[in-house]
Amino acid sequence: MPPPSDIVKVAIEWPGANAQLIEIDQKKPLSSIIREVCDGWSLSGSEQFALRYADGPQLYITEQSRGEIKNGTILRLAISPARAARQLLERIQSHGIDARLEALKELAKLSADPTFATEFINMEGIGTLARLVESGTHFGEMLAFTLTAFLELMDHGIVSWDLISLSFIKQIAGYVNQPMVDVSILQRSLAILESMVLNSHSLYQRVAQEITVGQLIGHLQVSNQEIQTYAIALINALFLKAPEDRRQEMASTLAQKHLRSIILNHIIRGNRPIKAEMAHQLYVLQVLTFNLLEERMMTKMDPTDQAQRDIIFELRRIAFDGDNDPSGTEKRKAMYTKDYKMLGFTNHVNPALDFTQTPPGMLALDNMLYLAKLHQDTYIRIVLENSSREDKHECPFGRCAIELTRMLCEILQVGELPNEGCNDYHPMFFTHDRAWEEFFCVCIQLLNKTWKEMRATAEDFNKVMQVVREQICRALAMKPSSLEQFKSKLRNLSYSEILRLRQSERMSQDDFQSPPIIELRERIQPEILELIKQQRLNRLCEGSCFRKLGNRRRQEKFWFCRLSLNHKVLHYGDLDETPQGEVPFELLTDKIPVSDIKSVVTGKDCPHMKEKSALKQNKEVLELAFSILYDPDEALNFVAPNKYEYCIWTDGLCALLGREMGSDLTRSDLDTLISMEMKLRLLDLENITIPEAPPPVPKEPSTYNFTYNYG
């Protein structure tokens, strides 16, 4: 019989004594349990002791966290957090170097525990550590442990970062600026500066005065990826917290220091795989860089601003430079209107009005001008190719460029803050100083190509944009390493390929979301589940051979179990060897009525997994173990020969007890069989659009005198 849920069996250690095996009653106060443990070792003053985990982060157990203790956990009796904090504080202020180092080493470990951290901070411990750093007398390993403990204590958020002194900041910044500082000290110093910047506006200003971007960029050219990660994290923090009017200035400084090319050559194209934290920091830098476009994206064009209007004139001039301006004002105005129409603007008379909607605002005009000036041949080809068409299939360059810019802003989430835990950076954006503009130039050529492939007209504009969005997103998902590779991916994603992919995905995933299809799926599912259930029960009736658990050095023994044909009794018995063919019921001497079965348990909950301590480390056996608990307080224990048999038997036993079959095999079989059945039933509807709702019932006829009289 399994133990009550509020009783936990654990082992408790104490240096120099045999471990105690006790049962913790979760209903009893923790203080009384500690008192009983102390009494077992004849220790007085139980209030000076506490329990903590023997392995892992050495967290103290409190009334709030005691519910997380699991059966079989090894605990350690230790001095209480308050007493430990007091002793460590005294030891780190002692004169013996060895004693101080050991104390700082233990402090760095215990500082991750919030209970200990609270006690240590209440004793002015952070101030003591800060003074040790400010004194400049600590070096090497001792300083590294001091900084680790300081950072762990501050990260609990118990005290404000604003209490940090300027001399402490200067000392930490000095470690970052030193050319030959120990790696562990540099890593912790960068982490402390990042936390300062992110948690306090006043500290951001102080750190920004002490740390130069050039010094941080130097740390990106080392071979240690952790140092590179912390350096980029600090650059990101300074970038994120900088006032809006200083971000462009900081971006210019980073560009002058060749940050992008250093990241590309020393990190992205380095000889080490990029870890998750580094990928996240590159993603953050990518987002913050693109967010510099937000101001232009949200700036409307002022139709009265001559400098802005001159940009539109420049677009017209580059496209139609061969035309001579007519002398008359009216003629010139009429010609400009015609040119603006050929350029694809919606407002032919005053195209400035096309840029009054935000987003994309002036950012669209910036992109168009970059294309016209830096990729002039491409720009002229796109404009002239479409302006000379007379078949209503022309692709309006102006309107397309504006909508494409809006779409790219949505895809790359321009203006949004980075998502915590996201690692979705794109290597190709680190391969060019004007990556955004070059990205636009590639995509506008794609749009023009797709427009021609779809033989689209103005009415098809939204359909074309949807296809182009899918092409861009699919190509980005492949993580091309350069813009050239991005172009190559797009060449393989033509309109016909997109149609093929859509059709393939629809067929493979049953991507039909209309209510009739969903209703059909719901109707089919019970039939399929019943079919799976019958298959499982039939397999149980055939029976399976199981290996007996015991001493591996002895000869291996087997036993066999099978369900009776009427599904009422489980028959089982020992075998000398693996059976060949069907085992008759006569050879199976033991039996369990199905009506006596109370439950089926798996893994760690099985009695034979709890009893066999050596097996707790054998994950493979643990994943294949299951037990039948039956009256009166008995258990039949199994270890399946493989995962397939495990799923068959656990599903079959659950089906016998009227419970849900929840194995991975059932989910897989259900998906496969439903998919096949759906495809068979929908064969006659291939290439027919299934409506969202049934067609309306027609009105009743005025009379029913329309039957044919065969007489």
Side-chain angles (χ1 to χ4, degrees):
M1 180 179 178
S5 58
D6 52 2
I7 299 294
V8 185
K9 294 181 179 180
V10 299
I12 300 181
E13 297 176 338
W14 176 255
N18 292 327
Q20 294 186 39
L21 301 177
I22 69 166
E23 292 185 354
I24 293 179
D25 186 347
Q26 296 286 31
K27 294 178 180 177
K28 291 174 65 175
L30 194 57
S31 56
S32 65
I33 294 170
I34 294 171
R35 190 182 309 114
E36 291 173 9
V37 173
C38 289
D39 291 343
W41 283 311
S42 303
L43 299 172
S44 58
S46 63
E47 66 279 357
Q48 295 291 316
F49 292 92
L51 292 175
R52 72 186 199 201
Y53 292 99
D55 300 317
Q58 305 241 343
L59 294 176
Y60 282 94
I61 293 165
T62 63
E63 288 289 354
Q64 292 74 32
S65 65
R66 63 186 296 181
E68 298 171 9
I69 304 173
K70 303 284 189 256
N71 277 316
T73 303
I74 300 175
L75 304 179
R76 181 175 295 161
L77 184 67
I79 58 174
S80 67
R83 189 176 165 194
R86 195 179 307 109
Q87 288 183 2
L88 285 174
L89 199 56
E90 292 169 359
R91 286 164 58 194
I92 63 176
Q93 294 173 303
S94 68
H95 297 293
I97 293 177
D98 291 341
R100 202 184 307 173
L101 178 61
E102 286 303 313
L104 287 168
K105 191 180 294 185
E106 189 173 350
L107 177 64
K109 188 185 294 183
L110 289 179
S111 295
D113 180 83
T115 309
F116 172 85
T118 303
E119 296 290 348
F120 190 80
I121 290 169
N122 289 340
M123 297 174 187
E124 302 297 327
I126 285 183
T128 303
L129 294 178
R131 285 190 292 274
L132 288 175
V133 174
E134 291 169 18
S135 68
T137 56
H138 281 49
F139 303 99
E141 200 176 18
M142 192 175 289
L143 178 59
F145 286 125
T146 305
L147 295 178
T148 302
F150 178 85
L151 185 59
E152 291 282 4
L153 292 167
M154 292 301 295
D155 278 349
H156 291 294
I158 299 170
V159 293
S160 170
W161 281 89
D162 287 319
L163 301 174
I164 304 302
S165 67
L166 183 59
S167 60
F168 181 86
I169 297 172
K170 286 180 177 293
Q171 192 69 37
I172 297 295
Y175 298 137
V176 173
N177 296 335
Q178 284 178 20
M180 296 295 291
V181 71
D182 187 74
V183 169
S184 57
I185 294 170
L186 175 59
Q187 176 186 319
R188 287 155 179 78
S189 298
L190 289 167
I192 289 171
L193 291 174
E194 181 199 2
S195 293
M196 286 180 184
V197 171
L198 293 175
N199 288 288
S200 169
H201 179 68
S202 60
L203 290 184
Y204 154 74
Q205 295 174 321
R206 292 177 183 177
V207 172
Q209 291 169 358
E210 297 293 331
I211 296 291
T212 66
V213 171
Q215 291 160 337
L216 293 177
I217 287 178
H219 293 307
L220 299 179
Q221 301 176 56
V222 300
S223 59
N224 187 319
Q225 191 172 118
E226 282 199 7
I227 296 298
Q228 293 174 324
T229 304
Y230 280 106
I232 293 183
L234 181 52
I235 290 172
N236 286 338
L238 291 167
F239 213 147
L240 187 64
K241 293 298 178 180
E244 288 188 19
D245 56 339
R246 286 206 57 223
R247 285 181 190 167
Q248 290 288 356
E249 179 187 332
M250 185 175 175
S252 300
T253 306
L254 293 173
Q256 291 168 8
K257 299 289 185 181
H258 307 292
L259 172 67
R260 179 198 60 75
S261 59
I262 288 170
I263 289 176
L264 180 68
N265 295 322
H266 291 271
I267 298 174
I268 295 175
R269 292 179 179 171
N271 54 8
R272 296 174 307 283
I274 292 178
K275 297 178 182 176
E277 183 55 32
M278 172 62 86
H280 173 66
Q281 294 302 336
L282 292 175
Y283 155 77
V284 172
L285 182 60
Q286 173 186 293
V287 171
L288 296 176
T289 304
F290 283 143
N291 282 358
L292 295 171
L293 304 167
E294 183 182 12
E295 183 183 355
R296 293 294 283 174
M297 180 182 79
M298 301 308 292
T299 301
K300 295 182 179 181
M301 186 169 186
D302 182 2
T304 62
D305 188 326
Q306 189 58 42
Q308 295 180 2
R309 293 171 63 85
D310 285 346
I311 299 176
I312 299 178
F313 291 151
E314 183 70 2
L315 290 174
R316 192 210 67 81
R317 186 194 65 76
I318 294 172
F320 308 112
D321 192 40
D323 296 339
N324 295 316
D325 286 349
S327 55
T329 305
E330 289 299 320
K331 286 184 178 179
R332 187 162 59 246
K333 187 176 180 181
M335 191 198 75
Y336 281 6
T337 300
K338 180 185 175 185
D339 287 350
Y340 292 145
K341 183 178 181 181
M342 292 168 70
L343 275 170
F345 288 113
T346 304
N347 294 281
H348 308 150
V349 177
N350 187 4
L353 297 175
D354 283 18
F355 301 95
T356 55
Q357 189 175 2
T358 57
M362 290 294 290
L363 185 60
L365 190 58
D366 294 343
N367 287 341
M368 294 164 75
L369 185 63
Y370 182 89
L371 175 69
K373 286 195 167 185
L374 274 296
H375 299 273
Q376 198 170 110
D377 292 344
T378 301
Y379 168 69
I380 293 173
R381 178 179 56 77
I382 291 174
V383 172
L384 296 184
E385 187 179 84
N386 289 287
S387 62
S388 61
R389 301 188 69 157
E390 296 294 338
D391 55 1
K392 296 184 179 180
H393 288 285
E394 65 274 7
C395 177
F397 170 74
R399 184 185 175 192
C400 287
I402 292 168
E403 286 301 316
L404 178 64
T405 303
R406 189 204 319 275
M407 181 198 295
L408 297 183
C409 289
E410 289 175 3
I411 291 172
L412 298 177
Q413 300 177 329
V414 174
E416 295 185 20
L417 288 174
N419 294 322
E420 192 65 39
C422 183
N423 303 335
D424 191 23
Y425 82 97
H426 296 282
M428 72 176 187
F429 292 131
F430 292 88
T431 61
H432 201 285
D433 289 329
R434 303 293 294 272
W436 166 263
E437 290 86 348
E438 289 293 323
F439 182 52
F440 168 83
C441 293
V442 173
C443 293
I444 194 70
Q445 293 177 71
L446 167 72
L447 197 159
N448 188 56
K449 174 173 170 282
T450 303
W451 185 284
K452 288 187 288 187
E453 289 175 353
M454 293 177 68
R455 293 192 53 77
T457 61
E459 289 77 17
D460 302 317
F461 186 86
N462 291 332
K463 290 181 182 177
V464 176
M465 296 306 292
Q466 287 173 3
V467 173
V468 170
R469 186 188 191 101
E470 188 171 343
Q471 289 171 312
I472 293 170
C473 290
R474 284 181 183 273
L476 284 176
M478 299 178 199
K479 298 291 183 193
S481 59
S482 65
L483 286 162
E484 283 303 318
Q485 202 175 90
F486 178 64
K487 291 180 192 175
S488 174
K489 303 288 185 191
L490 291 177
R491 278 194 291 271
N492 296 329
L493 286 168
S494 62
Y495 174 55
S496 58
E497 178 65 12
I498 291 293
L499 289 180
R500 190 192 68 77
L501 288 170
R502 285 177 176 177
Q503 180 69 12
S504 173
E505 288 169 3
R506 190 178 295 122
M507 293 301 293
S508 63
Q509 299 174 8
D510 287 329
D511 193 15
F512 299 109
Q513 298 301 319
S514 60
I517 298 297
I518 295 171
E519 184 181 346
L520 177 61
R521 190 181 186 91
E522 290 172 353
R523 288 190 181 185
I524 290 173
Q525 185 161 320
E527 301 173 20
I528 302 298
L529 277 172
E530 184 61 30
L531 184 66
I532 294 172
K533 176 183 173 182
Q534 290 304 319
Q535 187 271 343
R536 301 293 191 262
L537 293 175
N538 290 341
R539 281 286 291 106
L540 263 61
C541 290
E542 293 173 14
S544 296
C545 183
F546 300 94
R547 181 171 58 84
K548 275 197 168 185
L549 289 177
N551 193 326
R552 292 185 178 181
R553 287 174 294 183
R554 296 175 186 168
Q555 186 177 356
E556 202 163 31
K557 293 186 177 180
F558 303 92
W559 65 285
F560 197 87
C561 185
R562 62 181 294 193
L563 178 66
S564 64
L565 298 177
N566 60 6
H567 299 173
K568 290 186 178 181
V569 181
L570 276 172
H571 297 264
Y572 64 98
D574 293 342
L575 297 175
D576 293 331
E577 56 185 22
T578 307
Q580 303 295 326
E582 186 177 330
V583 177
F585 288 108
E586 294 77 25
L587 293 179
L588 307 176
T589 55
D590 300 307
K591 62 182 179 180
I592 301 171
V594 172
S595 58
D596 288 351
I597 298 176
K598 292 190 294 186
S599 64
V600 177
V601 294
T602 60
K604 293 179 180 179
D605 297 327
C606 298
H608 57 316
M609 291 297 104
K610 293 176 183 176
E611 294 166 3
K612 302 282 184 181
S613 58
L615 286 173
K616 287 180 183 175
Q617 306 304 322
N618 194 334
K619 186 179 177 184
E620 184 180 350
V621 173
L622 201 62
E623 289 177 347
L624 298 175
F626 61 98
S627 298
I628 296 172
L629 306 181
Y630 61 97
D631 291 329
D633 299 333
E634 297 287 339
L636 183 62
N637 301 317
F638 299 74
V639 174
N642 50 55
K643 192 68 178 176
Y644 176 79
E645 287 292 331
Y646 170 86
C647 293
I648 289 289
W649 274 84
T650 52
D651 282 343
L653 292 170
C654 286
L656 274 178
L657 301 179
R659 296 174 189 168
E660 184 180 348
M661 299 180 293
S663 75
D664 295 339
L665 183 63
T666 291
R667 283 192 289 273
S668 173
D669 288 351
L670 185 63
D671 288 343
T672 303
L673 293 171
I674 285 184
S675 176
M676 290 172 62
E677 185 67 20
M678 292 281 286
K679 287 174 183 175
L680 286 170
R681 296 198 184 192
L682 296 174
L683 272 178
D684 293 337
L685 296 177
E686 192 170 352
N687 297 326
I688 296 176
T689 304
I690 300 171
E692 291 291 321
V697 178
K699 293 180 180 179
E700 290 190 17
S702 56
T703 68
Y704 289 89
N705 299 330
F706 49 79
T707 57
Y708 186 77
N709 187 355
Y710 288 95

